[in-house]
């Protein structure tokens, strides 16, 4: 297990940002932390990448204790934070070179690695431009490139597509899903976009600091009760009986359409077609989304909670820090 | 994977690249260089020239020469403080996180930042120092080298002090507070414009706890070694040097602690 978290808790005064969470991440996979803003995702990342100490509990990254061996953890990880952390007054090339020095990349490999990274994210042509001239998508790509340059074992991505246009988001996703194979890196990402979490090998759904569900996207979706198959036929009455006999499942009718709930919609459709094929006019399959999972678990849609709580907890953490520093 | 070079080299690389970044940005931002050079010139040739008409000592160091160490101190004070306070900018714009998650010791970060301030401040002080022939100074090579060395050590100490301040502030709104309540009083109470020994008792105490006072005083020792009157240095040279060194160490230690993980 490349990441191991045991009973991790982080409190800021009376607010519990992370509440007794435990999970493990397998090497070479994409692990997603899914939840509304303010759920505790960023706090967890900050603890894992040694920027924050937990109130209690333990965390290990690449076999090293995040509290006791922060230097070893830092060597093993790359991070792309939610807000950009590039120096806008330096060029793309200079930002990456800065990074190679901090991570002690051997001198003779430095230039080659920086150029490779720039080519990988399609920014080689712009290498000598100041970062302040870059678009949001370009900056994010540059940060991913920077995060990989020292060949980390784990890459943390905190809301990597936040604030990007749909085109850049799609590009970035395509690119992220290739990372484990191309760079032998484990990806730990957070998002509040359901569609994005679909690409993960495993997802933990987090709400109000607690992990409320964990599993592969398919496993999670199965918990909400399976797929719904809608069928339009020339003869609803007879077809309904035939399907019920064949599958042993209850079929209902609504607005001239038959529908049934089954576990594996994709395999039960062909089975039905073999017997009732000639009567069928149209078939559609509706699979549960991760949003349905979240809805079922918390009673609310994930998007509803977007802006206000995020601001709330961020302000709160800031105020807390200020008080502590004085 | 990261290769296993000696840990000292890793830390040296980190310090080097932090300084290199600052230097590169300093070269690029002409306006910053211009404004930090212009300020001491205004003080020297307008305020200094004006006041020297008012106070014209019959013997010893002319006023415009007397304030020269103070003006060098001012150049360093502003430039080092600006350099260190850029940490607040780095925090606000996120770049500080890139540095903080890197596998380098917090002390290397602080030393890198302090040396950044030292390099850019010393360059600016040397530019101002080059004006000495126009002020009637006749300096030998050893005097020039001595002043530059002292400029570099004050720069380091003030930069380290600036870093300590920067760790206490989260946003750049606090900048004007630092400017008005720390930088300006530090300048006025450094013995730059008037000898500390002529100040009222309470201001004398304030001057004595100001680290810049000792830097300015050390330069007075070198720039007018034969002055014995009221314009003469206020403290023994050895005290000046010791205070600069000790405060540097203390500020670096405090800043290093402050950079450890928060909350």
């Amino acid at each position: 297990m490349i990441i191991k978290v045991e009973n991790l808790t982080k409190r800021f005064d009376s607010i519990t940002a992370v509440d007794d969470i435990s999970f493990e991440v397998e090497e070479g996979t994409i692990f997603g932390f899914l939840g509304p803003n303010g759920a505790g995702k960023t706090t967890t990342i900050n603890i894992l990448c040694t920027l924050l100490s937990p109130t209690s509990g333990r965390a290990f990254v690449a076999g090293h204790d995040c509290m006791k061996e922060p230097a070893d953890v830092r060597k093993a990880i790359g991070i792309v934070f939610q807000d950009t952390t590039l120096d806008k007054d330096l060029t793309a090339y200079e930002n990456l070179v800065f990074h190679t020095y901090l991570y002690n990349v051997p001198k003779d490999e430095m230039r080659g690695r920086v150029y490779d990274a720039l080519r990988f994210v399609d920014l080689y042509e712009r290498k000598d431009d100041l970062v302040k001239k870059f678009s949001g998508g370009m900056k994010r790509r540059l940060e991913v490139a920077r995060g990989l340059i020292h060949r980390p074992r784990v890459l943390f991505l905190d809301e990597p597509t936040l604030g990007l246009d749909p085109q850049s988001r799609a590009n970035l996703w395509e690119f992220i899903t290739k990372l484990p194979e191309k760079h032998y890196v484990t990806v730990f990402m957070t998002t509040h976009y359901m569609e994005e979490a679909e690409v993960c090998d495993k997802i933990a759904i987090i709400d109000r600091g607690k992990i409320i569900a964990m599993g592969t996207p398919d496993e999670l979706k199965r918990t909400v009760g399976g797929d719904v198959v809608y069928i339009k036929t020339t003869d609803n009455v007879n077809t309904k009986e035939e399907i019920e006999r064949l599958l042993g499942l209850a079929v209902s009718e609504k607005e001239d359409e038959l529908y049934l709930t089954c576990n594996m919609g994709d395999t039960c459709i062909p089975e039905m077609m073999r017997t009732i094929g000639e009567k069928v006019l149209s078939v559609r399959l509706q699979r549960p989304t991760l949003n349905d999972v979240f809805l079922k678990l918390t009673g609310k849609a994930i998007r509803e909670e977007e802006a206000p709580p995020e601001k709330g907890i961020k302000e709160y953490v800031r105020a807390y820090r200020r008080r502590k520093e004085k | 994977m990261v290769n296993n070079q000696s840990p000292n080299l890793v830390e040296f690389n980190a310090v080097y690249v932090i300084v290199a970044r600052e230097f590169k940005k300093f070269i690029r931002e002409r306006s910053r260089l211009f404004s930090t050079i212009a300020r001491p010139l205004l003080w020297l040739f307008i305020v200094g020239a004006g006041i020297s008409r008012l106070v014209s000592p019959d013997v010893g160091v002319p006023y415009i020469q007397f304030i020269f160490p103070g003006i060098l101190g001012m150049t360093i004070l502003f430039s080092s403080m600006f350099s260190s306070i850029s940490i607040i900018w780095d925090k606000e714009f996120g770049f500080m996180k890139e540095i903080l998650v890197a596998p380098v010791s917090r002390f290397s970060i602080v030393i890198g930042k302090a040396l950044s301030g030292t390099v850019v401040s010393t360059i600016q002080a040397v530019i101002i120092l080059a004006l000495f022939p126009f002020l009637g100074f006749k300096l030998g090579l050893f005097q020039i080298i001595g002043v530059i060395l002292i400029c570099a050590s004050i720069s380091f100490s003030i930069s380290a002090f600036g870093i300590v301040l920067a760790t206490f502030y989260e946003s750049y709104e606090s900048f004007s507070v630092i400017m008005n309540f720390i930088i300006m009083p530090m300048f006025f109470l450094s013995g730059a414009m008037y000898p500390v020994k002529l100040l009222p008792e309470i201001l004398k105490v304030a001057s004595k706890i100001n680290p810049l006072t000792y830097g300015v005083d050390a330069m007075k020792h070198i720039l007018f070694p034969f002055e014995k009157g009221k314009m003469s240095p206020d403290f023994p040279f050895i005290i000046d040097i010791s205070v600069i060194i000790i405060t540097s160490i203390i500020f670096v230690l405090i800043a290093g602690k402050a950079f450890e993980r928060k909350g």
Side-chain angles (χ1 to χ4, degrees):
Chain A
M1 290 297 153
I2 190 94
I3 300 177
K4 218 168 140 187
V5 169
E6 294 168 356
N7 307 99
L8 202 67
T9 297
K10 177 66 186 175
R11 276 188 214 99
F12 296 103
D13 287 353
S14 60
I15 285 206
T16 307
V18 174
D19 193 358
D20 193 28
I21 63 171
S22 302
F23 62 88
E24 290 182 343
V25 179
E26 209 175 304
E27 184 149 24
T29 60
I30 301 182
F31 184 89
F33 234 40
L34 177 67
N37 287 324
K41 298 179 304 236
T42 301
T43 305
T44 308
I45 282 208
N46 281 343
I47 294 171
L48 289 177
C49 66
T50 76
L51 283 178
L52 208 58
S53 319
T55 310
S56 64
R58 301 204 295 170
F60 298 88
V61 174
H64 300 289
D65 189 317
C66 294
M67 272 57 75
K68 294 189 188 119
E69 307 157 291
D72 293 309
V73 172
R74 287 183 194 130
K75 267 183 222 167
I77 62 175
I79 308 148
V80 178
F81 290 103
Q82 217 173 91
D83 308 308
T84 160
T85 60
L86 297 160
D87 188 334
K88 297 177 193 67
D89 297 316
L90 294 180
T91 64
Y93 178 78
E94 286 164 350
N95 265 291
L96 298 192
V97 168
F98 186 88
H99 191 84
T100 61
Y101 272 92
L102 284 187
Y103 285 82
N104 199 32
V105 172
K107 288 269 176 347
D108 47 334
E109 289 179 33
M110 202 177 266
R111 185 176 287 260
R113 281 210 215 171
V114 170
Y115 284 170
D116 284 349
L118 285 166
R119 282 193 201 99
F120 180 51
V121 294
D122 235 355
L123 287 172
Y124 183 76
E125 307 295 320
R126 304 288 304 268
K127 67 183 187 324
D128 295 320
D129 287 350
L130 294 181
V131 168
K132 62 178 151 204
K133 293 183 189 155
F134 283 14
S135 70
M138 289 160 77
K139 281 184 200 155
R140 209 48 69 84
R141 271 173 14 230
L142 185 61
E143 288 194 281
V144 177
R146 185 178 66 180
L148 290 170
I149 224 165
H150 56 285
R151 304 195 176 145
R153 296 180 63 194
V154 185
L155 183 67
F156 289 94
L157 302 168
D158 193 5
E159 300 271 0
T161 58
L162 201 71
L164 298 187
D165 58 274
Q167 168 105 43
S168 311
R169 275 175 64 185
N171 287 344
L172 192 65
W173 274 117
E174 197 191 323
F175 169 82
I176 289 171
T177 47
K178 285 186 200 148
L179 289 176
E181 209 181 318
K182 268 194 157 170
H183 290 267
Y184 314 103
V185 69
T186 306
V187 175
F188 181 102
M189 51 162 276
T190 73
T191 183
H192 66 276
Y193 295 114
M194 295 294 163
E195 325 81 83
E196 297 190 341
E198 299 275 352
V199 306
C200 299
D201 297 302
K202 204 171 172 193
I203 299 172
I205 297 183
I206 180 166
D207 186 43
R208 295 174 201 279
K210 280 194 161 77
I211 291 181
I212 51 177
M214 195 152 38
T216 66
D218 282 335
E219 281 168 5
L220 288 173
K221 287 182 212 160
R222 240 171 273 148
T223 62
V224 287
D227 304 345
V228 183
V229 182
Y230 295 85
I231 309 164
K232 267 190 184 153
T233 66
T234 48
D235 177 5
N236 278 354
V237 183
N238 282 327
T239 319
K240 183 173 181 246
E241 277 173 23
E242 268 181 78
I243 299 173
E244 283 180 339
R245 213 177 316 126
L246 179 72
L247 299 172
L249 292 168
V251 180
S252 321
E253 190 175 345
K254 195 169 83 184
E255 289 167 13
D256 263 359
E257 212 175 21
L258 298 175
Y259 69 94
L260 68 147
T261 309
C262 60
N263 279 335
M264 308 276 269
D266 45 358
T267 54
C268 91
I269 289 174
E271 207 180 326
M272 285 190 282
M273 288 309 114
R274 277 193 280 277
T275 33
I276 57 160
E278 59 265 29
K279 290 183 208 135
V280 176
L281 294 172
S282 75
V283 181
R284 68 196 166 90
L285 171 65
Q286 195 177 323
R287 316 199 81 160
T289 64
L290 287 170
N291 205 28
D292 299 328
V293 180
F294 192 78
L295 194 64
K296 188 194 168 201
L297 289 168
T298 66
K300 66 192 177 212
I302 205 162
R303 296 290 178 92
E304 283 169 18
E305 266 212 304
E306 245 177 62
E310 177 200 25
K311 191 161 183 258
I313 197 143
K314 270 195 185 148
E315 291 291 297
Y316 201 90
V317 171
R318 260 196 200 165
Y320 168 82
R321 290 224 175 108
R322 246 173 266 153
R323 273 201 305 282
K324 261 208 120 171
E325 278 165 17
K326 269 165 196 166
Chain B
M1 274 318 294
V2 177
N3 63 326
N4 288 318
Q5 292 177 20
S6 86
N8 291 336
L9 188 64
V10 179
E11 301 302 334
F12 176 79
N13 276 340
V15 171
Y16 167 78
V17 80
I18 290 171
V19 176
R21 164 181 179 243
E22 180 88 8
F23 187 69
K24 202 149 223 167
K25 290 174 75 163
F26 173 70
I27 301 283
R28 246 172 231 168
E29 278 175 61
R30 299 277 157 73
S31 60
R32 178 170 155 197
L33 176 65
F34 184 75
S35 71
T36 39
I37 296 286
R39 186 181 299 107
L41 292 182
L42 290 176
W43 278 85
L44 194 57
F45 290 109
I46 299 178
V47 181
I51 294 179
S52 66
R53 291 291 169 93
L54 209 62
V55 287
S56 43
D58 316 318
V59 285
V61 180
Y63 187 70
I64 197 135
Q65 288 193 2
F66 170 77
I67 63 169
F68 194 51
I71 296 302
L72 289 171
M74 161 195 253
T75 313
I76 290 166
L77 175 66
F78 278 85
S79 163
S80 297
M81 281 294 206
F82 272 107
S83 168
S84 294
I85 286 168
S86 71
I87 288 174
I88 301 177
W89 268 253
D90 283 344
K91 277 201 238 175
E92 190 88 1
F93 295 121
F95 191 74
M96 191 43 73
K97 272 191 181 170
E98 152 80 353
I99 300 177
L100 288 178
V101 293
V104 296
S105 102
R106 313 292 91 170
F107 281 104
S108 298
I109 298 172
V110 170
I111 287 173
K113 267 297 182 188
L115 284 178
S116 305
T118 308
V119 170
V120 297
S121 301
T122 309
I123 292 171
Q124 292 173 67
V126 167
I127 295 173
I128 299 295
L129 178 63
L131 295 172
F132 75 86
F134 304 104
L135 302 169
F137 278 109
K138 289 187 179 54
L139 299 181
L141 183 62
F142 287 113
Q143 277 172 299
I144 293 173
I145 293 171
V147 173
I148 294 174
L149 286 178
I150 289 167
C151 284
S153 29
I154 316 169
S155 301
F156 187 84
S157 155
I158 302 289
S159 299
F161 176 58
I163 297 168
V164 174
L165 286 181
T167 58
F168 284 97
Y169 292 97
E170 286 283 310
S171 73
Y172 49 69
E173 284 113 48
S174 38
F175 182 71
S176 67
V177 177
I178 297 177
M179 186 72 195
N180 287 317
F181 292 98
I182 296 174
I183 299 185
M184 290 317 281
M186 271 179 84
F187 170 62
F188 290 126
L189 290 170
S190 66
M193 305 303 288
Y194 16 75
V196 173
K197 57 172 94 60
L198 300 184
L199 290 176
E201 204 52 45
I202 179 136
L203 293 184
K204 225 180 251 178
V205 173
S207 293
K208 281 182 184 168
I209 57 168
N210 177 3
L212 186 62
T213 307
Y214 301 91
V216 171
D217 201 61
M219 287 193 278
K220 288 179 185 169
H221 277 285
I222 296 184
L223 287 171
F224 25 93
F226 305 114
E227 172 67 26
K228 291 283 173 263
K230 61 182 176 188
M231 299 302 216
S232 66
D234 297 292
F235 311 100
F237 189 64
I238 184 78
I239 296 285
D240 293 336
I241 299 299
S242 314
V243 171
I244 296 170
I245 293 171
I246 292 167
T247 50
S248 299
I249 295 170
I250 292 173
F251 291 141
V252 166
L253 290 176
I254 297 175
K257 265 274 161 264
F259 263 73
E260 297 278 329
R261 216 178 321 197
K262 302 250 173 81

